[in-house]
Amino acid sequence: MKSILQLVGLCLLSGAATANAQTLLSIPFDNDDDLQYFVAPVDELAVEPAFDNQRCLIVGSDVVAQALKPIAVQALKKYKLTIRAAVDDSDTVETNDRLPEILAKNGGKSFAACQLTFFDKDGEETTFLLYGRIRMRADPISIISGQLHEFVSVFYAPPEAETLQLKLLPRGRKVWIDEIVLERETSEGTENGNPDFRYGKFNLSGWDPGSEGRLYVRSDGTTVLKCGTSGGSSFFAVDDQVRYSFHCKGKGYSKTAGKVTVSFYDMTGKDLGYTHLFWGRDMEEGATKNGIKPPPGAKLAMLKSSRLILEQVMVTQDGPATD
């Protein structure tokens, strides 16, 4: 059963979202009133001038964790979380060019972060399951810049999710947060998240580059994903009564052929099979495959990629399936 604290939090945050139905949470940290969004006590938090005398939330290095009040979400809907933040650390993007690679390998476990935890209708933690048994958690946002920087995560709420709780984890570092915004994602125009890596080399948004993989910026300014021997996207929702188009652009980099496939799952994460999409050699100018219908019972999908430099992987609906 939900605690009274959770219910109070939901009332407060649902009221804050009334002005814009697509925005669930928007905290500018302009004054101490913004501390109302956090679970008490908040004695170790402060809103004070920081960068260029700009007011920010300041989370001290001695804080173990500080949670925000739960936010109502809808299962299998797509969301975008943006945090503009900075950290006091000797190892930041300004001092270490290898941070994207380190993040890809360890998931940011050693860095200051914002953790995402979902709860079901009974207040129990819930997440995605793969093969019906392996838990797939939403990746945290790692705060790795010494200057205020936008960190973005695009994700789907799990099948049983009713609330989302954000938790700040300084991990022994002082953290400044200028803004937190959670909204329904509507601007990408795709079913999958972060389809063209538009959020930059520090924002995987659920993409797993696999071994030796990472996001990086090419000389022309385009952010691309290097996929190792096994990589892929996070889960995204599909409908077994709808056909889909898949557009991929990229290039293989290994003597062993690179490829992109899509795997389908039911609501419990049971594997229902996969469809081969493209070989790396076919994607250099961009390639599209239309009319792909998920197998019966499919509610989730995941893109899988290997030995490719990906520029775009875009999944869109064709329309209702007719057989």
Side-chain angles (χ1 to χ4, degrees):
M1 183 177 294
K2 289 190 179 76
S3 67
I4 293 176
L5 178 60
Q6 284 181 306
L7 293 174
V8 170
L10 289 175
C11 289
L12 282 170
L13 297 185
S14 63
T18 301
N20 183 349
Q22 297 300 310
T23 301
L24 286 77
L25 181 69
S26 179
I27 315 177
F29 295 114
D30 290 334
N31 54 65
D32 289 340
D33 290 344
D34 288 334
L35 297 181
Q36 67 177 304
Y37 292 96
F38 289 90
V39 174
V42 293
D43 298 338
E44 298 181 22
L45 303 181
V47 177
E48 297 177 356
F51 297 86
D52 295 327
N53 211 33
Q54 182 173 336
R55 296 182 73 83
C56 299
L57 173 72
I58 300 176
V59 186
S61 59
D62 54 345
V63 174
V64 176
Q66 182 62 60
L68 281 81
K69 294 171 182 176
I71 307 159
V73 294
Q74 291 180 275
L76 296 183
K77 296 297 183 182
K78 190 180 181 186
Y79 295 94
K80 176 182 176 182
L81 174 64
T82 303
I83 297 179
R84 183 171 166 81
V87 64
D88 183 9
D89 194 354
S90 60
D91 204 12
T92 65
V93 298
E94 293 84 7
T95 63
N96 187 349
D97 291 337
R98 294 186 61 247
L99 273 193
E101 180 181 349
I102 295 170
L103 280 174
K105 287 183 177 180
N106 72 10
K109 294 179 181 178
S110 59
F111 298 99
C114 178
Q115 177 179 286
L116 290 74
T117 305
F118 296 93
F119 297 92
D120 64 17
K121 61 182 177 61
D122 297 317
E124 299 294 328
E125 185 175 342
T126 186
T127 185
F128 289 101
L129 293 176
L130 187 60
Y131 310 122
R133 63 182 185 278
I134 302 174
R135 291 183 176 273
M136 303 285 286
R137 297 179 182 275
D139 291 332
I141 286 183
S142 296
I143 302 171
I144 53 173
S145 174
Q147 300 295 318
L148 290 174
H149 182 87
E150 275 196 357
F151 299 98
V152 179
S153 180
V154 175
F155 56 89
Y156 274 80
E160 303 297 325
E162 288 208 358
T163 59
L164 165 64
Q165 187 167 49
L166 307 177
K167 184 180 290 185
L168 303 178
L169 305 173
R171 292 178 172 146
R173 302 161 176 88
K174 185 177 182 179
V175 175
W176 296 269
I177 299 180
D178 175 50
E179 184 179 43
I180 297 177
V181 177
L182 177 67
E183 57 194 326
R184 283 286 304 276
E185 202 299 305
T186 57
S187 63
E188 291 181 340
T190 57
E191 304 302 308
N192 59 312
N194 198 11
D196 49 14
F197 316 112
R198 67 186 65 184
Y199 307 113
K201 64 179 180 179
F202 308 120
N203 296 303
L204 283 164
S205 284
W207 283 92
D208 178 2
S211 59
E212 301 180 358
R214 64 185 178 92
L215 285 168
Y216 69 93
V217 180
R218 296 189 314 200
S219 58
D220 64 0
T222 303
T223 301
V224 295
L225 179 69
K226 178 183 178 182
C227 305
T229 54
S230 61
S233 72
S234 56
F235 279 119
F236 57 94
V238 293
D239 185 334
D240 61 2
Q241 298 303 306
V242 174
R243 293 189 184 274
Y244 293 87
S245 291
F246 293 79
H247 175 80
C248 296
K249 185 177 182 181
K251 184 177 181 179
Y253 63 85
S254 171
K255 293 181 179 179
T256 304
K259 63 181 179 180
V260 177
T261 65
V262 57
S263 294
F264 298 100
Y265 307 87
D266 69 10
M267 194 72 84
T268 67
K270 180 182 177 182
D271 192 343
L272 301 178
Y274 75 96
T275 297
H276 174 85
L277 296 174
F278 305 104
W279 295 107
R281 60 180 177 270
D282 303 323
M283 297 165 41
E284 293 189 24
E285 300 302 321
T288 302
K289 187 170 287 189
N290 307 109
I292 294 179
K293 183 184 177 185
K299 296 298 179 184
L300 300 165
M302 180 185 291
L303 296 157
K304 297 184 179 181
S305 53
S306 62
R307 301 180 180 91
L308 295 169
I309 305 296
L310 288 176
E311 293 183 38
Q312 294 178 337
V313 186
M314 310 182 76
V315 184
T316 55
Q317 289 191 17
D318 286 349
T322 56
D323 290 329

